[in-house]
Amino acid sequence: MVLRIVRLGTPRAPDEGLRIGTVRRPPRGVPKAEFASQNWYDVWYPNLAPSVDTMKLAQQAQHAQSPAEWQAFVKRYRAEMTTPDNSRSLDVLAALSHQTNFSIGCYCADEAHCHRSVLRALLAERGAAIAPAAIEAGDAP
């Protein structure tokens, strides 16, 4: 059993399981009935998405590519994930990763400058069984 961290909208792995969208907003121009069939997500869970203000900080960091700006985003997003509801959600996902295959993701092209990289770290800190990045990107045999 394994948890994959994926880019939403990409082809699914054969045994990926349920895909959870940890994004603030649904994909634009896509009918809700087609979210799953177009490989966006099966379930929308915006609770683990950065707040609007924190998302703005991430977008600034993506454009400027400043390590200090990125660290400011990471610090703020990690703080958001310490609320009781978010912390419990992360605990549940980490525990589920040992029982079933599923994935979580975001739209960003570069995981290194996306909140899903922070989610990966937070889930790893909780002992989640996480697939290596090469498997998620479809690079594995």
Side-chain angles (χ1 to χ4, degrees), residues 70-106:
W70 178 249
Q71 286 309 311
F73 162 76
V74 170
K75 183 177 179 180
R76 184 181 287 179
Y77 179 61
R78 276 183 165 270
E80 289 177 358
M81 292 300 103
T82 63
T83 66
D85 286 343
N86 291 337
S87 183
R88 282 190 291 273
S89 291
L90 292 170
D91 289 343
V92 166
L93 293 176
L96 282 173
S97 72
H98 295 279
Q99 302 297 318
T100 190
N101 292 333
F102 67 98
S103 61
I104 61 171
C106 179

Side-chain angles (χ1 to χ4, degrees), residues 7-35:
R7 180 178 182 197
L8 301 179
T10 60
R12 294 175 190 245
D15 60 348
E16 184 175 314
L18 185 76
R19 188 175 273 198
I20 302 169
T22 61
V23 291
R24 182 67 36 211
R25 295 188 176 89
R28 291 183 182 180
V30 179
K32 185 177 182 177
E34 295 180 22
F35 288 172

Side-chain angles (χ1 to χ4, degrees), residues 1 5 14 18 24 36-37 47 54 56 64 80 85 108 135:
M1 303 300 117
I5 312 295
L18 185 76
R24 182 67 36 211
S37 65
N47 306 47
T54 302
K56 289 178 185 176
E80 289 177 358
D85 286 343
C108 299
I135 291 174

Side-chain angles (χ1 to χ4, degrees), residues 3 31 36 49 81 95 110:
L3 162 63
M81 292 300 103
D110 180 8

